[in-house]
């Protein structure tokens, strides 16, 4: 889940929260109990001629670390 707020015509803030619930189908090969992992991020971005420039801080309870992330341009996906 995420929310993007336009601070000005070129400046924006994004807040995101994620939850993953896995291993909920128990069987003999996987006897461990189900587990939930969560995380979130806060991003400050600027729309420029190169595309959006983003600076983020991310946290996940799996890594237990606050990590920075920097991105320039539009993300591309694989099909």
């Amino acid at each position: 889940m995420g929310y993007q707020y336009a601070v000005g015509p070129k400046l924006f803030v994004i807040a995101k929260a994620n939850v993953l619930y896995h291993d909920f189908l128990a069987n003999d090969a996987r006897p461990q109990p189900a587990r939930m992992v969560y995380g979130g991020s806060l991003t400050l971005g600027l729309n420029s001629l190169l595309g959006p420039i983003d600076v983020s801080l991310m946290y996940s309870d799996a890594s237990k670390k606050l990590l920075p992330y920097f991105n320039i341009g539009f993300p591309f996906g694989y099909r």
Side-chain angles (χ1 to χ4, degrees):
M1 178 167 65
Y3 179 75
Q4 181 170 336
Y5 178 74
V7 178
K10 292 189 175 188
L11 190 64
F12 58 92
V13 177
I14 301 172
K16 290 184 181 179
N18 301 299
V19 176
L20 170 67
Y21 185 67
H22 63 91
D23 290 335
F24 53 87
L25 297 176
N27 60 31
D28 294 335
R30 213 176 27 224
Q32 72 266 17
R35 183 154 183 255
M36 188 174 347
V37 179
Y38 62 89
S41 69
L42 186 61
T43 302
L44 178 64
L46 175 70
N47 289 325
S48 71
L49 294 174
L50 299 173
I53 300 173
D54 303 341
V55 177
S56 300
L57 284 175
M58 301 177 291
Y59 176 79
S60 169
D61 75 326
S63 66
K64 307 257 191 277
K65 293 180 182 177
L66 188 64
L67 299 171
Y69 181 78
F70 182 75
N71 186 41
I72 297 176
F74 295 99
F76 293 93
Y78 294 98
R79 287 188 179 208

